[in-house]
Amino acid sequence: MRVPLWLALVLASTASVVAAATSAAPASAAPASAAPASAAPASAAPAKAGCDLAAADARAAGPGCARAWMDANLRLNDIVTMGTHNSYKQRQSAAEFALIAARNPQAAQSIDYGHRPLAEQLDAGARQLEIDVYYDPAGGRFAAPLGPALTGQTLPADYAATMARPGFKVFHIPDIDPHSSCLLFADCLRRIKAWSDAHPDHAPILITMNTKQDASPVPGGTGALPMTEDAFDALDREIRAVLPPAKLITPDDVQGAYPSLRAAVLANNWPTLGASRGRILFALDEPPGVVAVYRGRRHALEGRVLFVNTDESSPAAAYLTLNEPQELAARIAAAVDAGFLVRTRADADTVEARTNSTGRRDAALAGGAQYVSTDYLWPDMRFSPYTARLPGAAKALCNPRRAAARCQGLPVE
């Protein structure tokens, strides 16, 4: 694949990137057409004096003005950044892996990966995280997974006590893949919030969520509880209990006075980049039946915390999960051009890492999806040097379909 223009511009201007990053000024306030001004982070400050925020592109705004120009002229959906898949997941022990591989070698290979702690991923540039949750209102439902017991593995000393606490739990698969860097969803949120508070100028973080309802693959194991409307209400409450309104970007923030969320998105009513820095948005990555439970009788997503994965014609349309960047390239491009947020994947099931194949990754980065997920911010040298990051050590760049020419290769973050 040819190197896209936006990648070439970034690679050719690394020195300019460093200079712009060190001299950039804070953002100006969002214009009236964006999210309400009250939603802007408290750290937002006026643009640097002398910057031409009406300039045609970031470089023309004046010396040291690229950041201020981007914050005033770009919107949340005008970026591209990397993220991680199953961001909480820890690798299984050799014994647990062998147990699964003896029964299903392909399945075992597909889950043979793990991630560093969430803060390290964020430090490395992840601006999208994926968290799987299991409903556990009474606590203790998943405190004794069978996989470690069957293989003689010892869980951390506080595992059972932690899992006994009421609230949503975070892990991959019941009984066979229970290892997580943050077992409690509320704890995951607190860690993300702590990192965000310490880095208030970060590009907006998207947290995609799978609300698991799986049966255990182990006979006699413990499967998930159903995600009812009450369970989704509890999920929203758990998020709001950790993250205050000023930290969140919600569907209501984007919809504003428009008749539907979709109408607002098509009118480009996402908040400006400046108003989005230091903030977090959530998306429910589930099929239509689960999304319907979350929406209930709402016209769009009124009052809800999470955006939802839905088709482009829905009144609730704002976000799409389109994980195949090559097969779905045309749909991704059309959705991004229309104003929707898209998450795609650079790699999946350890395939690209085992073969050091970069075609899917390169297509994902060039295709326009704002959030590109990987299992390999760092290479797994058991397999190959394969990794997936933005070029030039950037944390976020201008979107290749929406804003690359206006940013002239300079980074968002």
Side-chain angles (χ1 to χ4, degrees):
M1 173 179 286
R2 293 178 58 194
V3 177
L5 172 62
W6 71 283
L7 287 180
L9 285 168
V10 170
L11 292 171
S13 59
T14 302
S16 298
V17 165
V18 174
T22 57
S23 60
S28 60
S33 61
S38 59
S43 60
K48 182 177 177 179
C51 294
D52 180 6
L53 301 186
D57 59 58
R59 288 193 185 276
C65 293
R67 156 72 187 275
W69 184 93
M70 291 180 189
D71 283 0
N73 288 278
L74 302 182
R75 294 186 180 268
L76 185 155
N77 58 334
D78 287 328
I79 67 171
V80 60
T81 188
M82 294 300 304
T84 54
H85 161 251
N86 291 342
S87 310
Y88 58 86
K89 187 181 178 315
Q90 306 291 283
R91 185 172 288 118
Q92 299 156 298
S93 69
E96 290 169 297
F97 178 82
L99 179 67
I100 301 168
R103 291 158 176 78
N104 191 330
Q106 184 175 359
Q109 283 195 356
S110 73
I111 60 174
D112 187 17
Y113 63 91
H115 290 291
R116 299 186 189 187
L118 298 180
E120 289 190 35
Q121 297 175 49
L122 292 164
D123 283 340
R127 296 295 177 265
Q128 176 260 313
L129 301 172
E130 180 180 301
I131 299 179
D132 296 343
V133 294
Y134 288 81
Y135 187 42
D136 187 17
R141 183 173 182 82
F142 306 104
L146 292 182
L150 291 171
T151 56
Q153 304 301 300
T154 301
L155 291 166
D158 62 346
Y159 188 96
T162 299
M163 296 296 270
R165 294 168 60 181
F168 287 89
K169 303 305 188 298
V170 175
F171 59 91
H172 192 209
I173 304 171
D175 291 304
I176 67 168
D177 199 4
H179 305 287
S180 173
S181 64
C182 49
L183 292 165
L184 303 179
F185 179 49
D187 186 37
C188 298
L189 293 176
R190 283 188 286 267
R191 297 182 191 191
I192 295 165
K193 180 180 183 296
W195 185 93
S196 176
D197 288 345
H199 303 81
D201 292 334
H202 66 75
I205 295 170
L206 170 67
I207 299 177
T208 56
M209 298 193 65
N210 296 143
T211 50
K212 294 298 195 82
Q213 303 186 62
D214 306 337
S216 172
V218 179
T222 302
L225 294 173
M227 285 298 297
T228 62
E229 189 168 358
D230 285 345
F232 277 121
D233 289 345
L235 182 64
D236 277 3
R237 287 195 300 270
E238 199 154 306
I239 294 171
R240 290 190 186 276
V242 176
L243 299 173
K247 209 65 174 162
L248 289 169
I249 297 171
T250 67
D252 285 342
D253 292 331
V254 177
Q255 182 170 335
Y258 285 88
S260 69
L261 182 57
R262 178 180 184 270
V265 167
L266 295 180
N268 204 27
N269 202 49
W270 292 102
T272 62
L273 177 59
S276 302
R277 288 190 188 271
R279 298 171 71 191
I280 300 165
L281 64 159
F282 290 79
L284 180 63
D285 182 10
E286 290 290 355
V290 179
V291 167
V293 175
Y294 185 68
R295 286 181 65 190
R297 297 180 178 274
R298 296 167 181 82
H299 178 59
L301 289 165
E302 292 80 8
R304 283 303 199 188
V305 174
L306 283 73
F307 295 85
V308 296
N309 177 33
T310 189
D311 70 87
E312 295 90 328
S313 64
S314 168
Y319 164 85
L320 296 89
T321 297
L322 299 173
N323 281 333
E324 302 298 331
Q326 294 161 307
E327 292 86 343
L328 298 176
R331 186 178 175 192
I332 290 172
V336 170
D337 290 350
F340 297 105
L341 282 183
V342 176
R343 179 262 202 176
T344 194
R345 291 185 67 177
D347 43 73
D349 300 330
T350 76
V351 171
E352 285 73 20
R354 292 177 188 275
T355 58
N356 197 22
S357 172
T358 61
R360 178 175 179 161
R361 178 198 69 190
D362 295 345
L365 288 172
Q370 290 91 348
Y371 292 93
V372 178
S373 180
T374 182
D375 286 320
Y376 300 98
L377 283 180
W378 295 272
D380 186 338
M381 295 308 295
R382 298 177 304 159
F383 304 146
S384 77
Y386 173 85
T387 189
R389 292 206 189 195
L390 294 181
K395 306 295 194 301
L397 294 169
C398 292
N399 190 275
R401 293 195 64 85
R402 296 184 58 85
R406 291 186 290 154
C407 296
Q408 294 291 301
L410 297 173
V412 168
E413 182 191 356

